[in-house]
Amino acid sequence: MGFFPDEDDRVNGREIVTGKAKFIAEHDIPNITYGVLVVSTIAKGSIIAIVTKPAEKAPGVIAVITHINSPTVPGYEAGGNPVKGPTGGKGFQVFNGPAIYFDGQPIALVVADTFERATYAASLVKTQYQKDEHQTNFDEAGKSVIALEDARYKDNIRGEVDGYKNAQVKIEAEYFVPIEVHNPMELHATIALWEGDDKVTVYEKTQGVKSSQRSIMNAFKLKEENVRVYAPFVGGGFGSALRTWPHAIAALIGAKKTGKPVKLVLTRNQMFNLVGYRPYTKQKIGIGATADGKLLGITHEADSITSMYEVFNERSVDVSRFLYACPNVTTRYHVYPFNVSTPTWMRGPGEATGTFALESAMDELSYALNIDPIELRLRNYAETDPQSGKPYSSKFLKEAYQLGADKIGWKARDPKPRSMKEGEWMVGYGMGTGVFGAGRGTAKALARIFVDGTLIVQSAVSDSGPGTATAMTKIASTSMGIPGNKISFELGDSSLPPGPTQGGSTTTSTLGSAVHDVCISLKKKLLELAKESSVFHTTEIHTTKIEDFIFENAFITLASDRKKRLSYSDILKQNNLNQLEVTEESKGNEEMKKYVAYSYAVHFVKVLVHPATGVLKINRAVVATDGGKIISPKTAKSQMIGGVVGGIGMALMEEGVIDDRYGRWVNNNFADYHVPVHADVPHIDTLFVDKPDPILNPTGAKGIGEVALIGFAAAVANAVYHATGKRIRELPITPDKLI
Ligand code: MOS
């Protein structure tokens, strides 16, 4: 490692690690004021009285805003106040009435001249409630609490209903995934600056500057050009920054009411319930096969939770419909309304939860059949999409099984549970498959080349950590024929050409296509200009197509006569241009409608379990990925490592606990809610099949953000079974469950 970055480094890595990169709350805004939320201490009921006088009189306080004096949020009228239960997609409407739906619900905003003064004044706000009986007891789901109806998630039957029941060999089991929280290192924060009544600038922690802009436009009925959202750097999201949460609206309300810019940063406590979480999910699987391991049926059922004011659904059971070839698949999915805030997508949403059950059940079935777990999966390998019958645009899952198995030394394991030891530690090997749809949406990108040979590419996308600017720089470099160090990729500003929200593992596929396309357009434009130059101005060349030229090292070269070449700079110079720019929109292609695409990650782990204490160490982790073409090897590797670390948390530590007596979070802090630290993380081998998908998009990339985590928890549970003979079906796998 020299002073100069490797070609493969993150383009803005230096800015990030040296502190030069500004995360949301770090933006220095003149005359900034500080907003601190006061939250409810009951889980259901309504506010009878809220006493704000002492807070208002406290030093430095500018305003105390509650439902009584809050300015009207015009967009609220459309939804109404959702007091009557879930209303679909209507988010919680902050300061819009006295109703309390969950403990920790924002009920007031104190704005003061310093953060400390605002925090102190917030402690002086006193509230009197009428308390109603709340519902946070998950055991009541399906009993006293009735599931919500949502047509998109109705029961789904392929083949025979509950067909697994007729199989020769079958497993029936229940699996539990607790509440887990994203809790990225960067706290969620919003800075709002109004200019007059109808124009606002917002620094917002968001995975989508355009979607945040849209939400704010809708809430305050503003024009697109009057809402500018910045998120130049985002310190992790994992799904928590996919939507505009109530605290952001509160900051906008605070800034509007006071006429001053307001910065609102959530506390770590508030991060546990104000920006979504992975919902608690009970799953039941029935799976059956013939004696030689052919799947006959899978029934996958899940019960999950949502808030009282909004439905949240995810595809936890769907994974059983598409991962394996199986004639009879039944899925049932229900959500129950509780006095909690609304859950949201968390890395590998749905599939992460669903594969814990399915990939555990497959492992159980493999032991019941006495067939190697990988062999069982190969016997049920889906050669075409089991749901639609369509072919895959690409699928290299077999290759991923092979790569991972070879790396961890799968063949050398003794398949018998409790058979392997290292000293006094029991040793276990396990694997689990991660799968997630590979999609492609619509995006615009702008490319502008300057006479000095540098290129700027822009799109209104956020980079919440995967290294989007790096991957896009690589794509631009390849497509444009310009070295990466001459390219800068600009993002994180809603005024740039509209880019996608960074979610669902689609950024590289979606935006990469736009960057590819815009570079091709810019090359064509350069070629048009170049054809007029003395170098190329011959009749022969006038009729030559773009394919007859090489675009490399910032030169256009005639392939048939390499002496004929012209630099991009010279093309601009000869045309008296200082710069040349193009904007392109890129959409999914027609051809893809005939195909289906998924990304896959096969997770392998080796665990050590201490027989006396139940202490569990993940000794090795190997992840072999089919994510299509890997655009940026180093950031892709980091992405996989990050997903595995998240998976270690899911498998071994993370569990949000709500005390049902009060409907209140118990462990909403990092002392009590455990996440992996360095000592918990072994060496992680990241392997990539690295074969391009030829149809999904021109870059060949399929996406890896979600599969990095999906399937990992099952791999650990399966390894624990191999080590100990104990099947743990309830996450997290803590030592008490192993002794
Ligand atoms: Mo992802 S859960 O779409 O950030």
Side-chain angles (χ1 to χ4, degrees):
M1 273 275 290
F3 177 78
F4 295 102
D6 290 349
E7 203 190 309
D8 201 25
D9 279 347
R10 199 176 276 257
V11 292
N12 46 19
R14 204 176 171 80
E15 279 173 274
I16 293 169
V17 298
T18 56
K20 195 176 162 217
K22 279 203 167 128
F23 293 87
I24 299 306
E26 296 175 322
H27 287 273
D28 226 342
I29 307 294
N31 306 315
I32 193 73
T33 67
Y34 298 83
V36 167
L37 291 171
V38 179
V39 301
S40 74
T41 54
I42 65 163
K44 187 182 180 188
S46 64
I47 299 168
I48 293 171
I50 185 158
V51 181
T52 56
K53 274 269 152 12
E56 282 160 16
K57 285 194 202 137
V61 171
I62 298 157
V64 180
I65 299 157
T66 68
H67 66 282
I68 292 160
N69 65 348
S70 172
T72 309
V73 177
Y76 278 178
E77 283 156 22
N81 197 359
V83 283
K84 285 187 179 146
T87 56
K90 302 286 178 272
F92 169 69
Q93 300 181 342
V94 67
F95 311 143
N96 192 26
I100 302 294
Y101 306 101
F102 63 95
D103 186 273
Q105 170 183 320
I107 55 172
L109 176 76
V110 177
V111 181
D113 60 353
T114 71
F115 170 70
E116 291 76 10
R117 285 171 151 183
T119 302
Y120 171 65
S123 75
L124 303 177
V125 174
K126 294 282 173 275
T127 312
Q128 219 186 322
Y129 300 99
Q130 180 215 305
K131 211 164 143 182
D132 296 332
E133 203 181 321
H134 64 265
Q135 178 54 262
T136 52
N137 183 349
F138 301 123
D139 294 335
E140 298 300 315
K143 295 177 193 158
S144 65
V145 185
I146 305 305
L148 299 166
E149 295 201 9
D150 187 327
R152 288 171 303 164
Y153 289 85
K154 59 180 196 262
D155 296 356
N156 197 288
I157 295 148
R158 182 164 83 225
E160 207 181 316
V161 184
D162 297 326
Y164 80 93
K165 287 187 172 161
N166 308 321
Q168 280 168 280
V169 182
K170 57 181 179 256
I171 299 288
E172 287 172 333
E174 283 189 14
Y175 304 86
F176 302 89
V177 174
I179 288 175
E180 293 159 9
V181 288
H182 316 72
N183 256 305
M185 196 187 294
E186 181 196 26
L187 298 165
H188 275 251
T190 306
I191 301 174
L193 300 91
W194 287 90
E195 285 167 54
D197 259 357
D198 63 352
K199 196 167 179 210
V200 71
T201 299
V202 185
Y203 293 79
E204 165 77 337
K205 181 185 173 99
T206 176
Q207 289 171 239
V209 282
K210 284 307 283 185
S211 65
S212 291
Q213 180 194 42
R214 221 167 299 127
S215 301
I216 293 164
M217 282 160 54
N218 290 341
F220 291 90
K221 302 281 180 223
L222 301 172
K223 291 191 203 128
E224 185 170 0
E225 61 270 26
N226 285 359
V227 178
R228 187 149 182 190
V229 176
Y230 288 106
F233 287 91
V234 180
F238 315 115
S240 69
L242 282 169
R243 59 183 295 195
T244 302
W245 296 104
H247 71 268
I249 302 298
L252 279 142
I253 290 172
K256 185 148 218 191
K257 174 99 178 161
T258 60
K260 294 172 193 293
V262 169
K263 178 191 290 191
L264 192 160
V265 186
L266 290 186
T267 64
R268 189 55 76 180
N269 282 182
Q270 291 166 351
M271 290 285 289
F272 283 75
N273 78 329
L274 292 184
V275 289
Y277 52 89
R278 193 193 300 285
Y280 170 100
T281 304
K282 290 194 249 189
Q283 298 176 82
K284 224 194 255 177
I285 290 224
I287 187 166
T290 60
D292 62 352
K294 270 281 190 200
L295 286 177
L296 276 181
I298 308 173
T299 291
H300 192 159
E301 298 169 281
D303 288 339
S304 192
I305 57 169
T306 190
S307 66
M308 286 290 174
Y309 49 88
E310 185 179 24
V311 179
F312 171 75
N313 286 318
E314 58 183 356
R315 298 173 304 213
S316 304
V317 295
D318 293 28
V319 69
S320 288
R321 291 161 54 194
F322 60 70
L323 184 51
Y324 297 109
C326 179
N328 306 302
V329 178
T330 303
T331 58
R332 303 182 180 99
Y333 172 85
H334 299 116
V335 294
Y336 298 85
F338 284 99
N339 289 105
V340 292
S341 58
T342 311
T344 197
W345 304 281
M346 179 165 155
R347 201 167 192 176
E351 282 80 350
T353 299
T355 52
F356 172 62
L358 177 63
E359 287 295 272
S360 292
M362 280 294 277
D363 198 70
E364 298 195 43
L365 186 63
S366 78
Y367 283 98
L369 290 161
N370 202 18
I371 295 174
D372 177 86
I374 298 176
E375 176 58 28
L376 177 63
R377 285 163 174 84
L378 293 175
R379 286 189 197 176
N380 295 286
Y381 197 79
E383 298 289 355
T384 53
D385 176 40
Q387 293 187 95
S388 61
K390 290 180 186 176
Y392 296 105
S393 55
S394 70
K395 180 177 183 178
F396 302 107
L397 175 57
K398 262 182 198 161
E399 288 82 345
Y401 285 134
Q402 190 69 49
L403 274 179
D406 288 350
K407 187 76 187 175
I408 199 142
W410 186 259
K411 278 222 178 88
R413 77 168 198 154
D414 180 341
K416 211 165 139 284
R418 294 182 76 95
S419 62
M420 297 181 75
K421 279 220 157 75
E422 276 177 24
E424 54 183 6
W425 295 83
M426 299 185 281
V427 175
Y429 288 83
M431 55 80 58
T433 317
V435 58
F436 199 81
R440 175 178 170 190
T442 301
K444 263 190 190 165
L446 175 149
R448 181 184 298 134
I449 191 163
F450 293 88
V451 72
D452 67 359
T454 58
L455 177 76
I456 285 179
V457 185
Q458 300 178 324
S459 185
V461 66
S462 296
D463 178 3
S464 59
T468 297
T470 308
M472 293 309 126
T473 299
K474 298 229 176 221
I475 291 169
S477 173
T478 309
S479 308
M480 199 61 217
I482 291 183
N485 62 9
K486 296 263 193 255
I487 300 172
S488 56
F489 186 82
E490 295 178 352
L491 49 64
D493 176 349
S494 64
S495 68
L496 299 174
T501 292
Q502 186 156 76
S505 304
T506 54
T507 309
T508 304
S509 172
T510 300
L511 185 59
S513 303
V515 169
H516 171 272
D517 291 355
V518 78
C519 288
I520 304 296
S521 282
L522 187 57
K523 285 198 297 198
K524 284 184 183 159
K525 238 179 158 173
L526 280 170
L527 183 60
E528 284 307 311
L529 294 174
K531 282 176 180 173
E532 303 305 324
S533 78
S534 55
V535 179
F536 293 140
H537 194 69
T538 68
T539 319
E540 176 214 336
I541 289 161
H542 258 280
T543 60
T544 307
K545 297 192 292 288
I546 187 166
E547 292 78 23
D548 297 324
F549 292 87
I550 299 162
F551 295 79
E552 221 171 59
N553 282 322
F555 276 87
I556 299 185
T557 307
L558 185 63
S560 58
D561 179 1
R562 294 199 174 213
K563 277 181 279 155
K564 289 196 171 166
R565 58 179 217 151
L566 197 54
S567 76
Y568 298 170
S569 291
D570 286 340
I571 296 169
L572 294 189
K573 270 184 213 150
Q574 289 181 8
N575 287 278
N576 292 319
L577 292 170
N578 189 40
Q579 61 184 60
L580 184 66
E581 73 172 49
V582 185
T583 302
E584 279 293 337
E585 185 178 64
S586 161
K587 294 179 176 173
N589 53 10
E590 275 301 304
E591 179 69 2
M592 194 57 207
K593 288 185 180 155
K594 295 184 223 151
Y595 296 90
V596 166
Y598 289 95
S599 289
Y600 301 91
V602 189
H603 292 279
F604 290 86
V605 294
K606 176 187 171 194
V607 302
L608 302 177
V609 182
H610 195 276
T613 61
V615 167
L616 193 172
K617 291 184 193 172
I618 298 183
N619 181 263
R620 275 190 77 188
V622 171
V623 55
T625 306
D626 166 23
K629 181 172 169 54
I630 299 305
I631 303 292
S632 166
K634 197 176 204 171
T635 54
K637 182 186 173 76
S638 296
Q639 179 81 312
M640 297 314 293
I641 290 172
V644 167
V645 173
I648 294 173
M650 181 179 187
L652 303 186
M653 295 141 198
E654 297 190 45
E655 180 175 22
V657 179
I658 291 176
D659 184 336
D660 182 45
R661 290 172 302 170
Y662 310 104
R664 184 176 303 159
W665 266 82
V666 175
N667 58 343
N668 51 347
N669 59 74
F670 277 155
D672 299 312
Y673 182 96
H674 293 177
V675 294
V677 298
H678 282 299
D680 300 310
V681 179
H683 177 73
I684 299 164
D685 284 303
T686 56
L687 309 167
F688 295 98
V689 177
D690 198 14
K691 287 193 184 155
D693 184 296
I695 298 160
L696 180 64
N697 65 57
T699 74
K702 288 200 283 191
I704 57 173
E706 323 290 339
V707 290
L709 183 145
I710 298 167
F712 186 84
V716 174
N718 298 342
V720 164
Y721 179 76
H722 180 229
T724 65
K726 282 194 177 135
R727 179 60 66 179
I728 309 299
R729 302 186 183 90
E730 186 170 350
L731 294 178
I733 307 171
T734 46
D736 55 297
K737 293 173 186 163
L738 296 176
I739 48 173

Short mmCIF file of all heavy atoms in Angstrom, two decimals, residues 640-671:
data_model
loop_
_atom_site.label_atom_id
_atom_site.label_comp_id
_atom_site.label_asym_id
_atom_site.label_seq_id
_atom_site.Cartn_x
_atom_site.Cartn_y
_atom_site.Cartn_z
N MET A 640 -19.76 -7.78 0.86
CA MET A 640 -20.02 -9.15 1.33
C MET A 640 -19.59 -9.31 2.79
O MET A 640 -20.29 -9.94 3.59
CB MET A 640 -19.29 -10.18 0.45
CG MET A 640 -19.73 -10.22 -1.01
SD MET A 640 -21.52 -10.21 -1.31
CE MET A 640 -21.99 -11.80 -0.66
N ILE A 641 -18.46 -8.72 3.13
CA ILE A 641 -17.98 -8.81 4.52
C ILE A 641 -18.99 -8.13 5.44
O ILE A 641 -19.38 -8.67 6.49
CB ILE A 641 -16.58 -8.18 4.66
CG1 ILE A 641 -15.54 -9.05 3.95
CG2 ILE A 641 -16.20 -7.99 6.14
CD1 ILE A 641 -14.15 -8.43 3.85
N GLY A 642 -19.46 -6.96 5.02
CA GLY A 642 -20.45 -6.24 5.84
C GLY A 642 -21.72 -7.05 6.03
O GLY A 642 -22.28 -7.09 7.13
N GLY A 643 -22.16 -7.71 4.98
CA GLY A 643 -23.37 -8.52 5.07
C GLY A 643 -23.18 -9.69 6.02
O GLY A 643 -24.06 -10.02 6.82
N VAL A 644 -22.01 -10.31 5.96
CA VAL A 644 -21.73 -11.44 6.85
C VAL A 644 -21.68 -10.97 8.30
O VAL A 644 -22.22 -11.63 9.20
CB VAL A 644 -20.42 -12.16 6.43
CG1 VAL A 644 -19.96 -13.13 7.51
CG2 VAL A 644 -20.63 -12.88 5.10
N VAL A 645 -21.08 -9.81 8.52
CA VAL A 645 -21.03 -9.29 9.89
C VAL A 645 -22.46 -9.02 10.39
O VAL A 645 -22.81 -9.38 11.52
CB VAL A 645 -20.15 -8.02 9.98
CG1 VAL A 645 -20.24 -7.38 11.36
CG2 VAL A 645 -18.70 -8.36 9.65
N GLY A 646 -23.30 -8.46 9.53
CA GLY A 646 -24.72 -8.30 9.88
C GLY A 646 -25.36 -9.66 10.16
O GLY A 646 -26.17 -9.81 11.08
N GLY A 647 -24.97 -10.64 9.38
CA GLY A 647 -25.50 -12.00 9.55
C GLY A 647 -25.06 -12.62 10.88
O GLY A 647 -25.83 -13.34 11.52
N ILE A 648 -23.84 -12.31 11.30
CA ILE A 648 -23.36 -12.81 12.60
C ILE A 648 -24.23 -12.21 13.71
O ILE A 648 -24.64 -12.91 14.63
CB ILE A 648 -21.86 -12.47 12.80
CG1 ILE A 648 -21.01 -13.23 11.79
CG2 ILE A 648 -21.42 -12.79 14.24
CD1 ILE A 648 -19.52 -12.85 11.79
N GLY A 649 -24.54 -10.92 13.57
CA GLY A 649 -25.43 -10.29 14.56
C GLY A 649 -26.78 -10.98 14.59
O GLY A 649 -27.31 -11.32 15.65
N MET A 650 -27.34 -11.20 13.39
CA MET A 650 -28.65 -11.86 13.30
C MET A 650 -28.60 -13.27 13.91
O MET A 650 -29.50 -13.68 14.63
CB MET A 650 -29.07 -11.93 11.83
CG MET A 650 -30.43 -12.58 11.60
SD MET A 650 -30.85 -12.58 9.83
CE MET A 650 -32.53 -13.19 9.90
N ALA A 651 -27.54 -13.99 13.61
CA ALA A 651 -27.45 -15.39 14.05
C ALA A 651 -27.21 -15.50 15.55
O ALA A 651 -27.80 -16.37 16.20
CB ALA A 651 -26.33 -16.09 13.28
N LEU A 652 -26.37 -14.65 16.09
CA LEU A 652 -25.88 -14.89 17.45
C LEU A 652 -26.30 -13.88 18.51
O LEU A 652 -26.25 -14.19 19.70
CB LEU A 652 -24.34 -14.93 17.45
CG LEU A 652 -23.66 -15.93 16.54
CD1 LEU A 652 -22.16 -15.92 16.78
CD2 LEU A 652 -24.21 -17.34 16.76
N MET A 653 -26.66 -12.67 18.12
CA MET A 653 -26.78 -11.63 19.15
C MET A 653 -28.05 -10.80 19.12
O MET A 653 -28.58 -10.46 20.17
CB MET A 653 -25.62 -10.63 18.98
CG MET A 653 -24.28 -11.22 19.24
SD MET A 653 -23.11 -10.56 18.06
CE MET A 653 -21.82 -11.78 18.20
N GLU A 654 -28.48 -10.40 17.96
CA GLU A 654 -29.45 -9.31 17.91
C GLU A 654 -30.86 -9.77 18.28
O GLU A 654 -31.37 -10.74 17.74
CB GLU A 654 -29.45 -8.69 16.51
CG GLU A 654 -28.10 -8.07 16.17
CD GLU A 654 -28.14 -7.25 14.91
OE1 GLU A 654 -29.09 -6.47 14.72
OE2 GLU A 654 -27.23 -7.41 14.09
N GLU A 655 -31.47 -9.04 19.18
CA GLU A 655 -32.81 -9.35 19.63
C GLU A 655 -33.41 -8.12 20.32
O GLU A 655 -33.00 -7.77 21.44
CB GLU A 655 -32.76 -10.54 20.62
CG GLU A 655 -34.13 -10.92 21.13
CD GLU A 655 -34.09 -12.18 22.01
OE1 GLU A 655 -33.03 -12.50 22.56
OE2 GLU A 655 -35.16 -12.81 22.14
N GLY A 656 -34.34 -7.50 19.65
CA GLY A 656 -35.02 -6.37 20.27
C GLY A 656 -36.09 -6.89 21.22
O GLY A 656 -36.89 -7.73 20.85
N VAL A 657 -36.07 -6.39 22.44
CA VAL A 657 -37.01 -6.89 23.45
C VAL A 657 -37.97 -5.79 23.84
O VAL A 657 -37.55 -4.67 24.19
CB VAL A 657 -36.25 -7.41 24.70
CG1 VAL A 657 -37.24 -7.89 25.75
CG2 VAL A 657 -35.28 -8.52 24.31
N ILE A 658 -39.26 -6.10 23.77
CA ILE A 658 -40.28 -5.16 24.21
C ILE A 658 -40.94 -5.74 25.45
O ILE A 658 -41.36 -6.89 25.46
CB ILE A 658 -41.30 -4.89 23.09
CG1 ILE A 658 -40.61 -4.08 21.97
CG2 ILE A 658 -42.53 -4.15 23.63
CD1 ILE A 658 -41.47 -3.82 20.77
N ASP A 659 -41.00 -4.93 26.50
CA ASP A 659 -41.65 -5.37 27.74
C ASP A 659 -43.15 -5.17 27.56
O ASP A 659 -43.65 -4.04 27.48
CB ASP A 659 -41.13 -4.53 28.90
CG ASP A 659 -41.70 -4.99 30.24
OD1 ASP A 659 -42.80 -5.61 30.24
OD2 ASP A 659 -41.06 -4.73 31.27
N ASP A 660 -43.85 -6.30 27.48
CA ASP A 660 -45.27 -6.26 27.16
C ASP A 660 -46.09 -5.53 28.23
O ASP A 660 -47.16 -4.99 27.94
CB ASP A 660 -45.78 -7.69 26.96
CG ASP A 660 -47.23 -7.72 26.56
OD1 ASP A 660 -47.61 -6.92 25.68
OD2 ASP A 660 -47.99 -8.53 27.12
N ARG A 661 -45.60 -5.47 29.45
CA ARG A 661 -46.36 -4.78 30.50
C ARG A 661 -46.55 -3.30 30.16
O ARG A 661 -47.57 -2.70 30.46
CB ARG A 661 -45.65 -4.90 31.85
CG ARG A 661 -45.67 -6.31 32.42
CD ARG A 661 -44.80 -6.40 33.64
NE ARG A 661 -43.41 -6.01 33.35
CZ ARG A 661 -42.48 -5.82 34.28
NH1 ARG A 661 -42.78 -5.95 35.56
NH2 ARG A 661 -41.25 -5.50 33.94
N TYR A 662 -45.52 -2.73 29.54
CA TYR A 662 -45.58 -1.30 29.21
C TYR A 662 -45.60 -1.06 27.71
O TYR A 662 -45.75 0.08 27.27
CB TYR A 662 -44.37 -0.58 29.82
CG TYR A 662 -44.18 -0.91 31.29
CD1 TYR A 662 -43.19 -1.77 31.71
CD2 TYR A 662 -45.05 -0.37 32.24
CE1 TYR A 662 -43.04 -2.10 33.05
CE2 TYR A 662 -44.91 -0.69 33.57
CZ TYR A 662 -43.92 -1.56 33.98
OH TYR A 662 -43.78 -1.88 35.30
N GLY A 663 -45.39 -2.09 26.95
CA GLY A 663 -45.27 -1.92 25.51
C GLY A 663 -44.03 -1.12 25.15
O GLY A 663 -44.01 -0.38 24.17
N ARG A 664 -43.00 -1.29 25.96
CA ARG A 664 -41.83 -0.42 25.82
C ARG A 664 -40.57 -1.23 25.54
O ARG A 664 -40.38 -2.31 26.07
CB ARG A 664 -41.64 0.37 27.13
CG ARG A 664 -40.51 1.38 27.11
CD ARG A 664 -40.47 2.16 28.41
NE ARG A 664 -41.74 2.81 28.65
CZ ARG A 664 -42.16 3.22 29.86
NH1 ARG A 664 -41.40 3.03 30.93
NH2 ARG A 664 -43.33 3.80 30.00
N TRP A 665 -39.71 -0.65 24.72
CA TRP A 665 -38.40 -1.26 24.45
C TRP A 665 -37.63 -1.41 25.75
O TRP A 665 -37.58 -0.48 26.57
CB TRP A 665 -37.59 -0.39 23.50
CG TRP A 665 -37.73 -0.79 22.07
CD1 TRP A 665 -38.75 -0.46 21.22
CD2 TRP A 665 -36.82 -1.60 21.31
NE1 TRP A 665 -38.52 -1.02 19.98
CE2 TRP A 665 -37.34 -1.71 20.01
CE3 TRP A 665 -35.61 -2.23 21.61
CZ2 TRP A 665 -36.71 -2.44 19.01
CZ3 TRP A 665 -34.97 -2.95 20.62
CH2 TRP A 665 -35.52 -3.06 19.32
N VAL A 666 -36.99 -2.54 25.92
CA VAL A 666 -36.16 -2.79 27.10
C VAL A 666 -34.69 -2.50 26.78
O VAL A 666 -33.98 -1.90 27.57
CB VAL A 666 -36.30 -4.26 27.55
CG1 VAL A 666 -35.35 -4.56 28.70
CG2 VAL A 666 -37.74 -4.56 27.94
N ASN A 667 -34.25 -2.95 25.62
CA ASN A 667 -32.80 -2.91 25.34
C ASN A 667 -32.48 -1.98 24.16
O ASN A 667 -31.73 -2.35 23.27
CB ASN A 667 -32.27 -4.33 25.08
CG ASN A 667 -32.98 -5.03 23.93
OD1 ASN A 667 -34.05 -4.61 23.50
ND2 ASN A 667 -32.37 -6.08 23.40
N ASN A 668 -33.04 -0.79 24.22
CA ASN A 668 -32.79 0.14 23.11
C ASN A 668 -31.51 0.95 23.33
O ASN A 668 -31.52 2.18 23.35
CB ASN A 668 -34.00 1.05 22.86
CG ASN A 668 -34.49 1.74 24.11
OD1 ASN A 668 -34.10 1.38 25.23
ND2 ASN A 668 -35.34 2.74 23.94
N ASN A 669 -30.44 0.22 23.49
CA ASN A 669 -29.11 0.85 23.62
C ASN A 669 -28.08 -0.23 23.30
O ASN A 669 -28.40 -1.43 23.30
CB ASN A 669 -28.91 1.38 25.04
CG ASN A 669 -29.03 0.24 26.05
OD1 ASN A 669 -28.13 -0.58 26.19
ND2 ASN A 669 -30.17 0.18 26.75
N PHE A 670 -26.86 0.20 23.02
CA PHE A 670 -25.83 -0.76 22.59
C PHE A 670 -25.16 -1.50 23.74
O PHE A 670 -24.29 -2.34 23.52
CB PHE A 670 -24.78 -0.06 21.73
CG PHE A 670 -25.18 0.08 20.29
CD1 PHE A 670 -24.65 1.08 19.50
CD2 PHE A 670 -26.10 -0.80 19.73
CE1 PHE A 670 -25.02 1.21 18.17
CE2 PHE A 670 -26.48 -0.68 18.40
CZ PHE A 670 -25.93 0.33 17.62
N ALA A 671 -25.56 -1.20 24.97
CA ALA A 671 -25.07 -2.01 26.08
C ALA A 671 -25.87 -3.31 26.13
O ALA A 671 -25.33 -4.38 26.40
CB ALA A 671 -25.19 -1.26 27.39
#
